[in-house]
Amino acid sequence: MNEAVIETQGLTKRYGDLTAVDDLNLRLQAGEVFGLLGPNGSGKTTTILMILGLTEPTAGTARVLGYDPLRHPLQVKRRVGYLPDSVGFYDELTARENLRYTARLNGIDRAEADRLIEQVMERMGLRDVVDRPVGTFSRGMRQRLGLGELLMKRAQIAILDEPTIGLDPEAAHEFLGMIRGLKADGITVLLSSHLLHQVQAVCDRVGLFRKGKMVLEGTFEALSERVLGGSYRINVEARRDGLERLLAAVPGVVRVTPVRGGRYLLEASRDCRSEVARRVVGEGGELLELTFERVSLDDVYARYFQEARGEA
Amino acid sequence: MKREGSPWTGLWAVVLKEYADHLSSVRMRILEGLILVVAVATVYAAAQSLRQTVGEDPFIYLKLLTTSQDPLPSFVAFMGFLIPLTGIALAFDAVNGEYNRRTMSRLLAQPIYRDAVLMGKFVAGLLTMATTLLGLWLLVTGLGILRLGVIPEAREVGRGLFFLLATLAYGGVWMALAMLFSVTYRQPATSAMATLAVWLFFAVFWEIVVRLLSNVAALVVMRGGTENELALVQVQLFLSRLSPNTLYSETVLALLNPDVRALGPVLITQLEGAVRGTMLPLWQSLVLAWPQFTALIAAVILLFAYAYILFQRQEVRA
Ligand SMILES: Nc1ncnc2c1ncn2[C@@H]1O[C@H](COP(=O)(O)OP(=O)(O)OP(=O)(O)O)[C@@H](O)[C@H]1O
Ligand SMILES: [Mg+2]
């Protein structure tokens, strides 16, 4: 088993009567992408701040690469890159100047910093705007600048708080690709989000937060299995072969697997049963069966919280 | 709990960044422009009226700073309110500005302590003020040489430099106060107004308050006698010295006027043996101004320390 790069034991944070994080035991292996998932106010940001040593836990301990963030904050912060949920830069300074400041704070000398800045700005697709004031940057550009900063300081761990919030779908998609790039570099990633499909797209494991507690944790499959018993799966029995092309053309259908005897298994990105039914019937097929299993993190999440509310 | 590493890691990085920011900020340009105009106008006017006495006065350069020529107040009088403004302008958004720009958490996630952030900002502010003051001093000296045609003597330069130091400490008080409010208030406008309010209170109302309080005290100790009267004056003086403005003006009075031999009420017995019109050597003027000067520094340290404690405990989240 790999060694843990982030480990918390009984980590707890209280604000007065409110327990923001409750007895959290978290373990991240080197090189994995872990998603903290939970509704607003469930304690994701608080957890992150405690891991970084920016907030003192009420109880419990955290270890980051073997260091205690409270006792050795500098060691931890040298090795961990943090992208806050609404990352800000000095608007009147250019991207380059902003990064130079960070580099100086990290003790990186000027020549090295300039070399690194070129490198990461190229990678983040910001090379052409590196000498523009950050005030003129879009939200997506700022996010990428933040990620570039993290790469520049050669962080071993990247902690990203709601990294795609406020990004348009395309920018979010692009950004997720960059997060996968971090993983390819061997950087361990801890990200928080409530945008489930995005978490699902990049995370190896997720932890579901509710009222400060991590109520579920594991790979996506394991969670789906546990909560729902097993992306949308639609079984179609049409008693006709050769409908693959027709079914594949239905908006939302990702893959069509013919089973046999006029049966098909569809994998879809959304519930498109009615459209499937319409087309099959329109083609003159006999629709004998149309069953459907919803499997997505959204559902895991929704189902889980539904049940939890029901219990309460 | 013992923390590893020096609390000042990254201090210079912060100082350099903040210093560069100040030097290029519009806010400072405006203030520096204002100070420049005031300096040229007052010193020019003073030089005009001092031209006749060149050669008679051994401290003509100091007179440049303290002489007022109707309708202009003296250079020193102007500084008395431009310097607090500068101090306030340099720090009123030091901390809450970082929160509002949402740079605070990113900044604190770098391998530095909060100590370095606050100290760095304060040092950068002081450096900026020192740069301005030094530039100003050179300008005044240059103007003096041009208008009066004499070179300043070492004793004048010495007093001038101590005057700058005292001015820096005075500015530091307002800067530290502005910084304190920038920690306690989330809106820069609020912290600016709060600091200005305190400044206005001391600049305008404190004297009135002191007089009211001493009137009350006078009613209490009605039964006359010089001893009581003296005690009353001393209470009044003590109260008035709670204001940084009083401390500063007394310090400046002692430093820039070598013939001032006492601050506050003087008993005739204390003047025994003193020859009227003789000048004190610099070190004696320093001794005279010392309590006021150290009080200013103490105020800076106390205010800064308080801001520091509050900042250390503050949540990173805006
Ligand atoms: N300084 C504070 N004082 C009091 N309560 C706080 C403080 N900071 C956070 N909280 C509370 O702690 C809880 C957890 O907040 P946290 O920011 O960790 O949630 P989150 O999961 O990050 O939510 P979001 O998705 O909105 O970012 C919330 O109920 C919040 O109100
Ligand atoms: Mg949050």
Side-chain angles (χ1 to χ4, degrees):
Chain A
M1 195 146 180
N2 281 336
E3 65 175 309
V5 291
I6 296 180
E7 191 168 16
T8 72
Q9 268 166 4
L11 201 63
T12 302
K13 178 74 182 181
R14 289 194 200 94
Y15 291 108
D17 286 344
L18 180 106
T19 306
V21 175
D22 193 0
D23 194 25
L24 174 71
N25 298 301
L26 188 68
R27 232 181 112 89
L28 261 76
Q29 318 274 298
E32 76 173 327
V33 180
F34 189 91
L36 294 177
L37 213 65
N40 294 128
S42 57
K44 306 178 296 284
T45 304
T46 310
T47 301
I48 288 173
L49 293 178
M50 286 192 287
I51 289 173
L52 282 161
L54 294 180
T55 289
E56 212 171 309
T58 312
T61 56
R63 291 259 157 208
V64 180
L65 297 161
Y67 293 103
D68 179 341
L70 288 182
R71 268 173 220 267
H72 300 279
L74 301 190
Q75 298 288 0
V76 169
K77 292 194 279 186
R78 252 191 278 282
R79 292 169 176 81
V80 179
Y82 172 44
L83 187 65
D85 50 357
S86 44
V87 64
F89 289 90
Y90 301 106
D91 283 351
E92 64 288 353
L93 301 184
T94 65
R96 192 193 301 279
E97 288 163 343
N98 268 290
L99 289 192
R100 274 190 185 147
Y101 183 38
T102 309
R104 217 183 288 130
L105 289 169
N106 279 278
I108 302 172
D109 70 54
R110 179 70 176 253
E112 173 76 353
D114 284 348
R115 201 181 57 76
L116 286 169
I117 291 170
E118 287 298 325
Q119 203 177 311
V120 301
M121 288 296 94
E122 174 79 53
R123 180 163 165 187
M124 291 295 119
L126 294 173
R127 213 187 55 161
D128 299 337
V129 294
V130 68
D131 289 312
R132 254 169 49 182
V134 176
T136 66
F137 278 23
S138 72
R139 169 132 193 128
M141 289 157 86
R142 282 165 203 260
Q143 281 309 94
R144 280 184 279 151
L145 183 57
L147 207 57
E149 176 183 88
L150 200 143
L151 285 171
M152 181 190 70
K153 68 185 264 193
R154 296 211 188 85
Q156 285 168 258
I157 300 176
I159 298 187
L160 318 173
D161 199 354
E162 313 263 0
T164 53
I165 202 162
L167 298 188
D168 68 55
E170 197 182 335
H173 183 77
E174 195 181 7
F175 200 76
L176 291 173
M178 288 173 171
I179 295 175
R180 273 186 226 107
L182 296 180
K183 179 181 162 73
D185 282 359
I187 299 174
T188 309
V189 182
L190 173 65
L191 67 85
S192 89
S193 182
H194 48 242
L195 297 172
L196 307 146
H197 56 284
Q198 298 186 345
V199 171
Q200 195 174 347
V202 292
C203 291
D204 300 322
R205 283 195 306 140
V206 296
L208 217 60
F209 271 64
R210 182 169 176 269
K211 292 186 181 158
K213 280 196 192 316
M214 191 160 73
V215 287
L216 282 175
E217 186 228 314
T219 59
F220 166 63
E221 286 77 15
L223 291 193
S224 324
E225 198 69 46
R226 257 183 80 183
V227 176
L228 300 168
S231 296
Y232 293 104
R233 242 181 260 147
I234 302 173
N235 282 299
V236 184
E237 189 177 346
R239 212 179 258 178
R240 247 186 77 173
D241 289 312
L243 290 177
E244 291 98 312
R245 298 266 302 275
L246 175 88
L247 290 171
V250 174
V253 170
V254 179
R255 199 154 66 191
V256 180
T257 318
V259 184
R260 77 200 129 70
R263 283 172 168 273
Y264 303 88
L265 181 62
L266 309 186
E267 285 177 41
S269 60
R270 54 189 164 88
D271 183 7
C272 45
R273 278 174 297 175
S274 55
E275 183 66 9
V276 166
R278 206 173 300 125
R279 295 215 182 177
V280 169
V281 171
E283 198 65 21
E286 290 180 70
L287 190 60
L288 296 180
E289 193 185 326
L290 187 62
T291 60
F292 152 81
E293 285 170 80
R294 311 172 72 181
V295 179
S296 87
L297 204 42
D298 289 83
D299 300 292
V300 175
Y301 186 86
R303 177 75 64 88
Y304 184 83
F305 286 108
Q306 211 170 10
E307 283 172 4
R309 246 193 310 277
E311 279 162 25
Chain B
M1 192 178 337
K2 179 98 184 69
R3 298 184 303 183
E4 48 113 21
S6 156
W8 310 126
T9 314
L11 177 67
W12 277 111
V14 178
V15 171
L16 288 178
K17 145 94 172 45
E18 295 291 327
Y19 185 57
D21 279 2
H22 287 322
L23 292 189
S24 61
S25 76
V26 179
R27 197 190 295 168
M28 278 313 289
R29 295 254 169 89
I30 293 172
L31 271 169
E32 278 162 2
L34 197 63
I35 290 176
L36 196 79
V37 171
V38 163
V40 171
T42 53
V43 170
Y44 190 89
Q48 209 64 13
S49 72
L50 286 172
R51 284 182 103 161
Q52 292 82 20
T53 52
V54 179
E56 293 160 28
D57 197 323
F59 289 99
I60 192 90
Y61 271 85
L62 302 182
K63 288 271 159 44
L64 270 184
L65 304 178
T66 51
T67 305
S68 58
Q69 172 83 321
D70 229 25
L72 275 181
S74 70
F75 174 78
V76 167
F78 261 120
M79 283 299 113
F81 80 94
L82 280 179
I83 289 299
L85 276 188
T86 313
I88 293 168
L90 283 168
F92 75 90
D93 63 348
V95 171
N96 51 18
E98 293 285 344
Y99 282 108
N100 287 332
R101 286 178 287 183
R102 304 192 167 279
T103 44
M104 188 57 100
S105 50
R106 202 172 52 83
L107 179 62
L108 292 178
Q110 307 308 326
I112 54 168
Y113 284 111
R114 291 181 182 211
D115 314 48
V117 174
L118 204 67
M119 196 54 156
K121 283 173 178 281
F122 194 71
V123 169
L126 282 182
L127 274 179
T128 311
M129 201 136 59
T131 313
T132 311
L133 286 173
L134 209 60
L136 204 58
W137 172 249
L138 292 176
L139 177 84
V140 168
T141 309
L143 270 176
I145 294 176
L146 275 178
R147 301 294 304 163
L148 301 174
V150 291
I151 304 290
E153 309 249 356
R155 54 173 189 257
E156 290 173 287
V157 174
R159 280 175 186 271
L161 289 179
F162 277 105
F163 161 69
L164 291 190
L165 216 58
T167 309
L168 195 61
Y170 179 56
V173 171
W174 296 108
M175 205 164 79
L177 185 70
M179 196 169 261
L180 172 62
F181 284 142
S182 87
V183 174
T184 52
Y185 297 114
R186 271 301 142 84
Q187 293 305 323
T190 315
S191 50
M193 285 314 297
T195 329
L196 284 173
V198 174
W199 170 66
L200 211 62
F201 174 74
F202 279 120
V204 180
F205 301 112
W206 187 242
E207 282 306 310
I208 303 171
V209 171
V210 168
R211 223 169 296 144
L212 283 176
L213 282 178
S214 43
N215 282 351
V216 172
L219 286 177
V220 176
V221 287
M222 243 345 225
R223 297 168 300 265
T226 37
E227 245 157 72
N228 273 341
E229 243 163 63
L230 188 65
L232 209 61
V233 173
Q234 251 144 10
V235 165
Q236 198 167 351
L237 202 60
F238 171 78
L239 286 176
S240 122
R241 280 179 182 159
L242 290 179
S243 154
N245 302 26
T246 312
L247 294 174
Y248 175 64
S249 54
E250 289 188 351
T251 309
V252 170
L253 187 69
L255 287 175
L256 292 186
N257 299 286
D259 52 346
V260 168
R261 20 188 65 244
L263 300 167
V266 181
L267 293 183
I268 205 77
T269 51
Q270 288 175 317
L271 283 178
E272 230 164 73
V275 184
R276 274 192 72 84
T278 50
M279 306 285 175
L280 289 185
L282 173 57
W283 70 268
Q284 280 196 1
S285 292
L286 276 179
V287 169
L288 194 59
W290 196 246
Q292 279 78 353
F293 182 62
T294 45
L296 279 177
I297 303 228
V300 175
I301 293 174
L302 281 178
L303 288 169
F304 182 78
Y306 189 47
Y308 177 91
I309 291 167
L310 291 182
F311 181 53
Q312 289 288 350
R313 292 182 181 166
Q314 203 162 42
E315 276 286 322
V316 187
R317 263 178 289 196

